[in-house]
Amino acid sequence: MLYFDNNATTRVDPLVLESMLPYLTEQYGNPSSGCRLGKLAANAIERAREQVAALLGCEPREIVFTSGGTESINAAIASALQLNPGRRHVITTAVEHSAMLKPCEALEKQGRTVTRLGVDAEGRLDMSEVEHKIKPETALVSVMAANNETGVLFPVQELASRAHERGVFFHTDAVQAAGKVPIRAAETGIAYMSVSSHKLHGPKGVGALFVNRRTAFHPLLLGGGQENGRRAGTQNVPGIVGFGKAAELALQNLEREATEVKALRDAFESGVLERIAGVQVNGNRTERLPNTTSLAFEGVEAESVLLLLERAQICASAGSACMSGSLQPSHVMRAMGFSNARARSTLRFSISRFNTAAEIEAALELLPGIIAKIRGT
Ligand SMILES: Cc1ncc(COP(=O)(O)O)c(C=O)c1O
C-alpha cells in the first residue's frame, strides 16, 4: 500500500506503540489513585505533558489532555463564550474543519452571530479584514494554523496579537500544523490551541488543548478534578503516553519535514505537473505545509480516480467530503472561488516521514495512465 493520506491520519510510529504497551498491560493504574500503580501512571502523564509542551513551545502546565482535536476545539469555543457571557459574536474562517464549523452553526441556532472570513484564490486570508470584523461583542477569534485540504498556512501569531490587543480570545486549530511546522505558543497572544495525536504518528482518540497560563479557562467536561480541574474524566493513560512519545519524535523529526518530506512532496507535485496535462495546484505554493499537495485534474471526477488508485494500492483523498450520501464539493475549494467542477476534480496527496522516494516514483508511474483512462484519452 502506498499511503499518501497522512492529513487524514498517520501510521503509529513503532516507538510510540512500544511506549504505550506497558500502560495497556501491567501498568494499569488510575493516575488519580494514590497507590503505587496510580503514581506510575500519573508520572507517565506528566512526562507526556512535558513532551507535548516541548513540541508546542509552551510550559507543561499549559497542556490539557483531551480526547482529540474535535474535543479541544469544542472546549476552546465553550470556554471563550462562558467567560464572556455578554459577548455573542465569534469570528472564524470559511475554510475551517467541520470540528469548528459545526459548533459555529450550532451557536447561530442559539442566536449568536458568526463571521466567516473569506480567502482569496490561493486560499489566503485578507489580514485587514480580520481587524475590521472584531467588534465589542466579539468573544472569540478562531483561525486554523494550516488548512487540512490545501496545506495553506495562516499567520496565526499575527492574528493572535491583533485579537489579544483588542481583548478578544484567540484560538487556533493547529491539528494539521503540529509536528509539520515549528510552533511556539508561549509569549504569543494565542489563548487556546488545539492539537491531535493521530495526525503526528500517535494513537487516535487523544489530543491536547494548550491553555495560555495568562488566560482563564472554563472546562467543557465537568466531573472529577483530573487535568488540574480543566478536563474531568479518568485520563486515557496509554493514549497520552503514546501522544507524548509521538510529540517527542515529531520534534526530533521537524527538520526532516522541512527538508526530506518537503522534497518528496515537491518531487511528486512537479512529477505530476510534468507528466500530466491540465493539472492545477490548489492553494499558495509557498505558505504551505511541507507535506501536502492539492491537485485539480481537469475533466475527471476525483472519486473515479480514487477508485482506480485504490485498485493500484494507492491511498489518497478527494478534496471533497461526502455529506449525507450526496457528493458536496469541498467548502474550502468553494471559498477559494473555484467551480464545482474544479472542486470535484481535486485530489489531496499528503506525505509523511514514512514515505520513500521509491513510493513517489511508483505513484508517478501509475497516475498518468489512470488519469488518461478516466479522461478517455
Ligand atoms: C484541521 C483539523 N481540525 C480538527 C480535526 C479533528 O481532529 P480529531 O480527529 O482529533 O478530532 C482534524 C482531523 O481531521 C483536522 O484536520
Side-chain angles (χ1 to χ4, degrees):
M1 169 68 81
L2 306 181
Y3 187 76
F4 302 125
D5 201 12
N6 288 279
N7 285 9
T9 198
T10 54
R11 67 174 292 171
V12 170
D13 190 302
L15 294 172
V16 167
L17 176 64
E18 197 182 296
S19 76
M20 293 170 70
L21 283 175
Y23 300 92
L24 288 160
T25 50
E26 66 281 358
Q27 308 250 4
Y28 50 81
N30 183 328
S32 301
S33 109
C35 74
R36 200 182 69 85
L37 278 182
K39 283 189 189 122
L40 286 173
N43 290 343
I45 288 179
E46 291 322 304
R47 167 105 188 91
R49 205 180 302 284
E50 286 166 16
Q51 290 163 317
V52 172
L55 179 67
L56 304 185
C58 66
E59 290 183 17
R61 63 181 160 133
E62 294 177 306
I63 297 297
V64 178
F65 286 115
T66 65
S67 67
T70 301
E71 183 192 320
S72 298
I73 295 166
N74 278 267
I77 300 169
S79 175
L81 292 171
Q82 276 281 343
L83 294 167
N84 289 295
R87 298 188 180 193
R88 307 188 62 75
H89 177 230
V90 170
I91 300 176
T92 187
T93 78
V95 296
E96 301 289 309
H97 188 268
S98 49
M100 182 71 209
L101 293 178
K102 291 284 172 185
C104 282
E105 285 171 21
L107 292 177
E108 286 174 317
K109 287 194 185 115
Q110 293 161 13
R112 294 193 165 87
T113 53
V114 177
T115 300
R116 293 170 185 81
L117 302 166
V119 293
D120 66 14
E122 293 199 356
R124 292 171 303 186
L125 280 180
D126 176 354
M127 293 293 286
S128 62
E129 204 201 345
V130 183
E131 204 127 24
H132 295 311
K133 300 285 168 140
I134 298 180
K135 301 185 271 192
E137 61 268 32
T138 307
L140 174 72
V141 177
S142 182
V143 175
M144 67 199 325
N147 184 267
N148 44 306
E149 292 189 22
T150 59
V152 170
L153 297 165
F154 290 139
V156 283
Q157 292 223 0
E158 197 183 330
L159 289 164
S161 40
R162 290 189 195 190
H164 185 65
E165 279 161 20
R166 307 275 297 270
V168 177
F169 281 75
F170 183 86
H171 164 258
T172 183
D173 168 357
V175 167
Q176 290 294 344
K180 295 177 188 146
V181 289
I183 293 180
R184 263 214 74 76
E187 317 308 330
T188 67
I190 300 172
Y192 306 134
M193 177 163 65
S194 297
V195 292
S196 179
S197 154
H198 75 99
K199 307 286 185 181
L200 44 95
H201 305 289
K204 292 166 184 61
V206 57
L209 180 69
F210 156 82
V211 177
N212 192 312
R213 63 187 184 281
R214 294 187 201 87
T215 309
F217 177 68
H218 189 279
L220 176 66
L221 296 185
L222 305 175
Q226 292 92 348
E227 294 294 300
N228 218 357
R230 293 178 295 182
R231 199 274 187 182
T234 302
Q235 288 103 327
N236 169 4
V237 182
I240 290 171
V241 168
F243 181 21
K245 186 67 188 176
E248 181 190 293
L249 294 169
L251 187 58
Q252 283 167 12
N253 284 293
L254 210 47
E255 190 53 39
R256 279 178 69 191
E257 292 286 324
T259 52
E260 287 171 39
V261 174
K262 181 174 181 298
L264 291 178
R265 189 274 313 270
D266 289 346
F268 179 74
E269 189 174 271
S270 50
V272 169
L273 294 172
E274 271 163 30
R275 296 176 202 202
I276 308 173
V279 181
Q280 272 100 34
V281 180
N282 299 315
N284 185 274
R285 293 176 70 176
T286 331
E287 292 301 306
R288 188 169 51 149
L289 289 174
N291 80 318
T292 309
T293 177
S294 169
L295 300 168
F297 295 83
E298 252 166 50
V300 304
E301 288 282 339
E303 293 301 324
S304 319
V305 183
L306 283 182
L307 221 66
L308 295 189
L309 285 175
E310 187 76 28
R311 278 191 210 151
Q313 300 282 305
I314 299 175
C315 190
S317 130
S320 59
C322 187
M323 292 184 206
S324 54
S326 69
L327 275 180
Q328 298 282 339
S330 140
H331 66 286
V332 177
M333 297 301 140
R334 291 222 318 252
M336 287 162 77
F338 296 151
S339 64
N340 285 354
R342 177 158 171 175
R344 276 202 279 268
S345 73
T346 289
L347 287 163
R348 177 187 70 187
F349 297 84
S350 44
I351 314 296
S352 86
R353 64 177 189 259
F354 288 97
N355 289 120
T356 63
E359 289 179 346
I360 297 292
E361 197 41 52
L364 284 173
E365 291 286 317
L366 284 161
L367 198 55
I370 290 174
I371 298 294
K373 190 170 175 183
I374 292 172
R375 283 177 175 164
T377 53

